[in-house]
Amino acid sequence: MSVDPTKPYDSENIFAKILRGEIPCNKVYEDEWSLAFHDINPQADVHILVIPKGDYVSWDDFSAKASAEEIAGFVRAVGHVAREQGLVVRGYRLLGNVGRNGGQEVPHLHVHLFGGGPLGPMLAR
């Protein structure tokens, strides 16, 4: 499934359900702006998703509509999780997919934190 980032927010997406507590997650961090949890299908030794608590479809939607406080809180949460998980010293990858061609599968803004070992090339062609 691919996401059309121009469509309205779908409050029945899996991340919205996780935020409402309808679906459990393996939480690693939470504050008033963000929630971070382990991906259920990890693509690296460490694979954590960080999502904002607001109703944003994509990075584009978030950057256009979120308040300065939401943006700062989300960015700080991503950095906090990376530091807390020990990813900064050895390096990590931060990935945000937007839309169909970007490979976005869930219509709620999220970033992937990958780490724990060598990650290989950025894009396979």
Side-chain angles (χ1 to χ4, degrees), residues 20-37:
R20 290 193 301 264
E22 296 169 11
I23 296 174
C25 70
N26 185 0
K27 179 171 53 172
V28 297
Y29 178 76
E30 183 173 18
D31 64 18
E32 72 178 289
W33 307 111
S34 306
L35 175 66
F37 51 92

Side-chain angles (χ1 to χ4, degrees), residues 30-53:
E30 183 173 18
D31 64 18
E32 72 178 289
W33 307 111
S34 306
L35 175 66
F37 51 92
H38 289 280
D39 193 291
I40 62 169
N41 184 27
Q43 304 298 303
D45 292 340
V46 176
H47 185 174
I48 295 169
L49 300 172
V50 185
I51 63 174
K53 290 189 172 177

Side-chain angles (χ1 to χ4, degrees), residues 8-116:
Y9 184 81
D10 173 9
S11 64
E12 292 305 309
N13 76 72
I14 191 168
F15 294 161
K17 290 177 180 183
I18 288 171
L19 284 168
R20 290 193 301 264
E22 296 169 11
I23 296 174
C25 70
N26 185 0
K27 179 171 53 172
V28 297
Y29 178 76
E30 183 173 18
D31 64 18
E32 72 178 289
W33 307 111
S34 306
L35 175 66
F37 51 92
H38 289 280
D39 193 291
I40 62 169
N41 184 27
Q43 304 298 303
D45 292 340
V46 176
H47 185 174
I48 295 169
L49 300 172
V50 185
I51 63 174
K53 290 189 172 177
D55 297 347
Y56 300 104
V57 175
S58 67
W59 189 262
D60 181 65
D61 186 31
F62 183 70
S63 66
K65 298 176 185 171
S67 69
E69 292 82 10
E70 287 175 296
I71 292 170
F74 181 67
V75 171
R76 287 191 174 117
V78 171
H80 176 84
V81 171
R83 287 186 300 279
E84 189 177 72
Q85 295 294 313
L87 300 176
V88 175
V89 173
R90 294 186 58 205
Y92 64 96
R93 181 169 297 155
L94 178 62
L95 174 70
N97 300 317
V98 178
R100 189 173 321 130
N101 286 345
Q104 185 178 0
E105 295 178 355
V106 178
H108 185 107
L109 170 62
H110 58 286
V111 295
H112 300 257
L113 279 171
F114 299 106

